[in-house]
Amino acid sequence: MNDMRPMIEVRGARKSYGPLEVLKGIDLSVARGQIIAVIGPSGSGKSTLLRSINHLETLDGGEVWLDGVQANQKLERRAFERHINQVRQQMGMVFQHFNLFPHLSVADNITIAPVKLKGMARDKARELALKMLDKVGLADKIDAYPARLSGGQKQRVAIARALAMQPKVMLFDEATSALDPELVDEVNLVMKQLASEHMTMVIVTHEMRFAAEVADKVLFMADGAVVEEGTPDELFSNPKQERTRTFLRKFL
Ligand code: ADP
Ligand code: MG
């Protein structure tokens, strides 16, 4: 029965920046092992949605649940901080701009969170880092510094770093859109591999082909609302809303 419970559930998410309503009541349910791609024009609220799931933004209204636990529950401030840190440790996030710590080696970038947040012993953490780097094909870069890596390699390290926390879900916010075109595939390949291992993922992307290949469900957002959602086939081959058709036309 537990496995039926969604891994991520967002209910009625609302968020405004001043007068600008950026999320107008978003519902999103991601099953265990499911992969959701979120597409939509720039400014439609995709990043705000992901950041709200991970509580980098605080919602004005609505709920975020992770694996049956409400993330944004009302608690006294210190209790909430403990709670939300606990929840956030279970979500890995990868951003458009690889935010590796430039002054730390690849190993230290990956081990810092397991060591500091989980109290993992350093040698264990290094072992784990090596395992995660192996997964993204960069075991030989364990002692390199970010400045020596290509954009694609940095992004793969960022993924390894997120995985080292053994998250229940991975959130990707345009992980490949800052990359030179020839570096996109190596990162997409890692995401596909995670998909084949049944990682639960929410992937914001501009790459329709990749979304179609990897996602179980595609969500089209515009102006802070979900305009349409469906399987890749439904959404890409047979979009029902004019708004979706207009958007997709730009990618043909
Ligand atoms: P997307 O990721 O779909 O491009 P975003 O979630 O980044 O959209 O942004 C949605 C809207 O919210 C945009 O109009 C953006 O300018 C605005 N916005 C995002 N973050 C902030 C912020 N911190 N302060 C004010 N406006 C913001
Ligand atoms: Mg964005």
Side-chain angles (χ1 to χ4, degrees):
M1 209 43 206
N2 272 354
D3 275 346
M4 298 297 291
R5 157 177 91 195
M7 187 59 104
I8 301 174
E9 188 152 35
V10 177
R11 296 184 194 146
R14 297 191 167 276
K15 175 79 183 172
S16 298
Y17 294 111
L20 181 67
E21 214 184 345
V22 177
L23 301 179
K24 300 176 178 169
I26 303 278
D27 296 316
L28 169 69
S29 183
V30 190
R32 208 167 289 267
Q34 195 176 29
I35 295 152
I36 307 253
V38 181
I39 62 170
S42 177
S44 55
K46 305 179 299 295
S47 293
T48 305
L49 174 62
L50 272 202
R51 293 169 58 82
S52 301
I53 292 173
N54 199 19
H55 209 78
L56 293 169
E57 303 286 347
T58 307
L59 290 175
D60 300 329
E63 298 176 358
V64 174
W65 292 71
L66 176 72
D67 200 13
V69 174
Q70 186 176 355
N72 61 339
Q73 56 186 268
K74 289 245 178 306
L75 290 169
E76 170 272 322
R77 190 178 61 84
R78 296 212 357 228
F80 180 73
E81 257 162 40
R82 267 197 306 277
H83 164 72
I84 201 66
N85 285 335
Q86 199 68 38
V87 172
R88 287 172 77 178
Q89 283 183 28
Q90 302 173 58
M91 304 193 214
M93 185 149 176
V94 177
F95 303 87
Q96 178 172 353
H97 294 285
F98 2 90
N99 36 10
L100 299 177
F101 301 112
H103 60 293
L104 295 183
S105 69
V106 165
D108 289 343
N109 263 282
I110 297 175
T111 57
I112 188 167
V115 168
K116 292 234 157 112
L117 301 178
K118 288 188 168 171
M120 192 178 283
R122 283 186 182 282
D123 54 340
K124 270 254 177 291
R126 188 177 165 95
E127 235 172 79
L128 179 66
L130 190 60
K131 202 167 130 202
M132 295 305 140
L133 282 170
D134 196 42
K135 236 174 150 53
V136 302
L138 291 173
D140 59 325
K141 299 292 185 199
I142 188 161
D143 292 314
Y145 279 78
R148 304 296 294 273
L149 304 177
S150 73
Q153 291 173 332
K154 282 183 201 165
Q155 211 50 324
R156 284 149 67 199
V157 171
I159 294 171
R161 180 175 60 175
L163 292 174
M165 288 298 282
Q166 290 164 321
K168 289 181 173 172
V169 307
M170 286 287 287
L171 310 173
F172 292 92
D173 192 0
E174 298 193 25
T176 59
S177 45
L179 297 178
D180 292 334
E182 73 272 18
L183 302 178
V184 166
D185 279 352
E186 64 187 69
V187 176
N188 282 345
L189 209 65
V190 171
M191 285 193 254
K192 278 189 190 163
Q193 183 193 319
L194 289 177
S196 74
E197 295 166 5
H198 310 290
M199 175 62 84
T200 307
M201 301 197 272
V202 181
I203 302 174
V204 173
T205 183
H206 278 140
E207 291 171 77
M208 301 305 138
R209 187 189 303 261
F210 177 66
E213 280 171 9
V214 79
D216 300 302
K217 190 164 89 180
V218 183
L219 225 77
F220 172 60
M221 274 181 77
D223 287 337
V226 176
V227 172
E228 185 167 354
E229 60 182 279
T231 64
D233 197 46
E234 286 165 349
L235 204 106
F236 291 124
S237 310
N238 197 12
K240 292 187 176 52
Q241 303 294 327
E242 185 51 39
R243 189 87 201 252
T244 316
R245 284 196 283 269
T246 309
F247 174 75
L248 290 175
R249 221 169 276 140
K250 298 196 186 86
F251 291 91
L252 293 178

